[in-house]
Amino acid sequence: MQEILDASQPSDWRTPENKNLLYLDLDSGRVLIELAPAFAPAHVANIRALAKNGYWNGMSINRAQDNFVVQWGDPAQEEKDRKPLGRGAKAKLPAEFARKTKGLPFDRLPDVDGWAPEVGFSGGFPAGRDPAADAAWMAHCYGAVGAGRDMAADSSNGTELYVVIGQSPRQLDRNITVVGRVLQGMELLSVLPRGTGPLGFYEQPSQRTPIKSIRLASEVPKKERVGIEVLRTDTPLFAELVEARRNRRDEWYKHMAGHIDLCNVPLPTRAPPPKPVAEKAKPKPRAKKPRSGAKPAGASKS
Amino acid sequence: MQEILDASQPSDWRTPENKNLLYLDLDSGRVLIELAPAFAPAHVANIRALAKNGYWNGMSINRAQDNFVVQWGDPAQEEKDRKPLGRGAKAKLPAEFARKTKGLPFDRLPDVDGWAPEVGFSGGFPAGRDPAADAAWMAHCYGAVGAGRDMAADSSNGTELYVVIGQSPRQLDRNITVVGRVLQGMELLSVLPRGTGPLGFYEQPSQRTPIKSIRLASEVPKKERVGIEVLRTDTPLFAELVEARRNRRDEWYKHMAGHIDLCNVPLPTRAPPPKPVAEKAKPKPRAKKPRSGAKPAGASKS
């Protein structure tokens, strides 16, 4: 995989739009989330408004259920105790479990998937598609960010957000609105102590993890922004990378799977390469060494 | 799921044999691992000998790679600095990536799986099977315990053990020897801080998690043993549970998947029901309320 990434061109990478980037700041560091307005426009609009209002600042991560999700939001149990959503944020949104396929890019994987007739990537997000039903949806892979809801399909408003921290709970696909995915900082969420209450909620308020702030990158002063690029999923290079993971060519592997599950495909990110600053600086033509995603090697020490 | 478990009979549960149960004791608590001699007899024999010799006592968890594995063993880099394996433990073992299908129970799932022609459970372990190749193997689901190896297929000896803490890395199936799975205590391993060195190894020895001891339950004084029962996978009740997860009947779900992935099937454990002690004690006929596995509910607060 590293060899393929080393051979990548600047055009193989994309820079997420600042209006689609959330910075979740914890004491332990920053988590970067990319929102997906193509799939959940109403939820994304609400989340942007909530972030602008500083809605989550000073709130907490209230739930960590092993092999499932972490979740944050207003911990108040009673409606009357809840923080007002603020200007421009709606209290009620439509369910956005799936959308029509028209106009949606879809880079299909060649592999079978028991949860969906077709799986692949759309704008960098793992997704499922059912042409017969004219439906496409984001898949609950590791790092997926969704909007918690109650019994009614339209009972989420984007204030309660969860992140998948375990085996992909694909049974949630088409049952809840996915709003985006974590690009960076998963290791800050996945290590949170698991809650011992029902559904992994913490039993004591002191066990919750404080949220310093959740802000839209577009609202953050430029000098505080994090540069990040994400590998495009609609390029020959990405197809090459997927194939290299479907059939591992390195000597460590003795059996080729000839397959990959949607949620096992790595979606690499990197810091943007340094911009040429002056003619005399002789900028290197090659991109800066990318951050590696999940390392493919086995459990060997070497 | 809880309703189904509540209706279970004592015969729906099994008690793992003490010679197949490992207690991994950390400062944070105890992890229970069930070994699978039916799949990896040579590795299990070696692990038993190593545990009897106290081989891992005082060692550490040296690796935690996000969405992949934690791993323990001798952190010494040089062969000459390594701890001797002790009596009855072999330095070299055969690769036990797969076994013949004859004589192996197999409770097949009805679902497609891209990694294997057939998937299901064997003696309580998630497994794949290929009748054409006369091969069966344990699958790398969350909680799977495997034996790290180097480049050669037969380079594992059971001293370096890893546990899957993320999305199932099924590409490792048939490429490395799986020796068992974690029955209880996953949340003690999954929260370990991720290592920042290559492959998630810790860069500083002080970052490692000390191992107090790894012992076979059969070697532990009876009063220190943990009672545990595991739901059998070869019963009508288990088939009913799987079907209830393939098509969720609770009102929260708006879309039925009609499918489940091998690694999404919960494998519940519970403390054994109290034994009747005297006639006058009127023991309750119903089993003690079981510990629930991963809770199926969505990300709702309620």
Side-chain angles (χ1 to χ4, degrees):
Chain A
M1 181 162 109
Q2 196 53 54
E3 277 175 37
I4 293 170
L5 293 178
D6 287 346
S8 69
Q9 298 297 312
S11 57
D12 289 314
W13 299 83
R14 66 186 176 86
T15 302
E17 289 189 79
N18 285 321
K19 67 178 181 184
N20 292 337
L21 263 187
L22 281 183
Y23 294 166
L24 160 57
D25 283 346
L26 306 173
D27 289 335
S28 57
R30 179 170 287 176
V31 178
L32 262 66
I33 294 167
E34 185 175 14
L35 300 170
F39 283 94
H43 280 74
V44 167
N46 232 38
I47 289 167
R48 285 187 191 127
L50 291 163
K52 283 180 190 171
N53 295 341
Y55 173 77
W56 292 286
N57 304 355
M59 283 191 185
S60 52
I61 299 176
N62 308 316
R63 174 189 189 191
Q65 186 172 357
D66 198 55
N67 195 19
F68 196 36
V69 297
V70 297
Q71 185 174 324
W72 60 85
D74 192 337
Q77 289 299 313
E78 303 292 330
E79 192 60 42
K80 65 176 176 52
D81 300 328
R82 299 223 176 133
K83 185 171 175 175
L85 307 191
R87 203 157 67 100
K90 294 176 181 166
K92 197 164 169 58
L93 299 177
E96 297 177 299
F97 301 167
R99 53 155 284 171
K100 293 197 178 298
T101 59
K102 194 178 173 186
L104 188 75
F106 197 78
D107 314 305
R108 192 178 167 189
L109 279 181
D111 302 284
V112 299
D113 184 286
W115 305 100
E118 298 178 2
V119 288
F121 298 89
S122 181
F125 294 94
R129 190 168 70 167
D130 183 349
D134 188 20
W137 58 90
M138 280 195 284
H140 276 83
C141 295
Y142 191 83
V145 183
R149 68 164 171 87
D150 291 321
M151 206 55 88
D154 62 353
S155 59
S156 62
N157 59 17
T159 58
E160 293 280 321
L161 296 175
Y162 64 88
V163 178
V164 173
I165 59 162
Q167 169 69 17
S168 47
R170 298 277 306 278
Q171 72 278 3
L172 298 178
D173 291 4
R174 287 188 268 184
N175 277 300
I176 196 161
T177 300
V178 182
V179 301
R181 62 180 284 272
V182 172
L183 296 180
Q184 200 171 286
M186 269 305 295
E187 71 282 2
L188 305 179
L189 301 175
S190 56
V191 301
L192 293 177
R194 306 323 191 212
T196 49
L199 302 176
F201 279 92
Y202 295 111
E203 296 184 271
Q204 303 300 328
S206 62
Q207 297 170 316
R208 298 173 188 151
T209 299
I211 290 173
K212 290 164 76 170
S213 62
I214 297 184
R215 295 175 295 171
L216 263 182
S218 54
E219 301 286 309
V220 169
K222 277 190 179 167
K223 66 179 191 311
E224 290 181 43
R225 290 185 196 163
V226 181
I228 187 166
E229 291 189 342
V230 186
L231 195 69
R232 295 177 64 119
T233 55
D234 58 351
T235 59
L237 184 111
F238 185 74
E240 192 187 338
L241 182 143
V242 168
E243 184 50 35
R245 305 286 285 200
R246 298 179 73 252
N247 287 299
R248 308 268 188 146
R249 302 279 168 190
D250 55 295
E251 204 195 326
W252 190 89
Y253 282 87
K254 311 303 179 188
H255 172 83
M256 286 197 195
H259 172 82
I260 194 162
D261 270 356
L262 176 66
C263 295
N264 287 103
V265 177
L267 295 171
T269 62
R270 67 175 187 183
K275 283 180 189 160
V277 284
E279 275 181 42
K280 286 179 187 171
K282 284 190 185 175
K284 286 186 184 174
R286 282 184 30 183
K288 194 173 167 184
K289 196 180 176 192
R291 285 184 68 253
S292 66
K295 201 75 173 60
S300 124
K301 293 181 77 145
S302 55
Chain B
M1 180 161 110
Q2 197 53 54
E3 276 175 37
I4 294 170
L5 292 179
D6 287 345
S8 69
Q9 298 299 312
S11 58
D12 289 314
W13 299 83
R14 66 185 176 88
T15 302
E17 289 188 78
N18 285 322
K19 67 178 181 182
N20 292 337
L21 262 188
L22 281 183
Y23 293 167
L24 159 57
D25 282 346
L26 306 173
D27 288 335
S28 57
R30 179 170 287 177
V31 179
L32 262 66
I33 294 167
E34 185 175 16
L35 300 170
F39 283 94
H43 280 75
V44 167
N46 232 39
I47 288 168
R48 285 188 191 127
L50 290 163
K52 283 180 190 171
N53 296 340
Y55 173 78
W56 292 286
N57 303 356
M59 282 190 186
S60 53
I61 299 176
N62 308 315
R63 177 189 187 190
Q65 185 171 357
D66 197 55
N67 194 19
F68 196 35
V69 296
V70 296
Q71 184 173 325
W72 60 84
D74 192 337
Q77 288 300 311
E78 302 291 329
E79 193 61 41
K80 66 177 174 54
D81 300 328
R82 299 224 177 133
K83 184 171 176 177
L85 307 190
R87 204 157 67 100
K90 294 176 180 166
K92 198 165 168 59
L93 299 176
E96 297 177 300
F97 300 168
R99 55 156 282 171
K100 293 195 178 300
T101 59
K102 195 177 173 185
L104 189 75
F106 196 78
D107 314 306
R108 191 177 168 189
L109 279 181
D111 302 283
V112 298
D113 183 287
W115 304 100
E118 298 178 2
V119 287
F121 297 89
S122 182
F125 294 94
R129 189 167 72 166
D130 183 349
D134 188 20
W137 57 91
M138 279 194 284
H140 277 83
C141 295
Y142 192 82
V145 183
R149 67 163 171 88
D150 291 320
M151 205 55 88
D154 61 354
S155 59
S156 62
N157 59 17
T159 58
E160 293 280 321
L161 296 176
Y162 63 88
V163 177
V164 172
I165 58 163
Q167 169 68 16
S168 47
R170 299 278 306 280
Q171 73 278 3
L172 298 180
D173 290 4
R174 285 189 272 184
N175 277 300
I176 195 162
T177 300
V178 182
V179 301
R181 63 180 284 272
V182 172
L183 296 180
Q184 199 171 288
M186 268 308 293
E187 70 284 2
L188 305 179
L189 300 175
S190 56
V191 301
L192 294 178
R194 307 320 192 214
T196 49
L199 302 174
F201 279 93
Y202 295 112
E203 298 185 88
Q204 303 301 328
S206 62
Q207 297 171 317
R208 298 172 187 151
T209 300
I211 291 174
K212 290 164 78 171
S213 62
I214 297 185
R215 295 174 297 170
L216 265 180
S218 53
E219 302 286 308
V220 169
K222 277 189 181 168
K223 65 178 193 313
E224 290 180 42
R225 291 186 196 160
V226 180
I228 186 166
E229 290 188 341
V230 187
L231 195 69
R232 295 177 65 118
T233 55
D234 57 352
T235 59
L237 183 111
F238 183 74
E240 192 188 337
L241 182 144
V242 168
E243 184 50 35
R245 304 286 283 199
R246 296 179 75 251
N247 288 300
R248 308 267 190 148
R249 302 277 167 193
D250 54 294
E251 202 194 328
W252 190 88
Y253 281 87
K254 311 303 178 187
H255 171 84
M256 287 197 194
H259 172 82
I260 195 162
D261 270 356
L262 176 65
C263 295
N264 287 103
V265 177
L267 295 171
T269 62
R270 68 175 186 183
K275 284 178 187 160
V277 282
E279 276 181 42
K280 287 178 182 171
K282 286 192 184 173
K284 285 185 183 172
R286 281 186 27 186
K288 193 172 167 185
K289 196 180 175 192
R291 286 183 67 251
S292 67
K295 201 76 172 56
S300 121
K301 294 181 77 150
S302 55

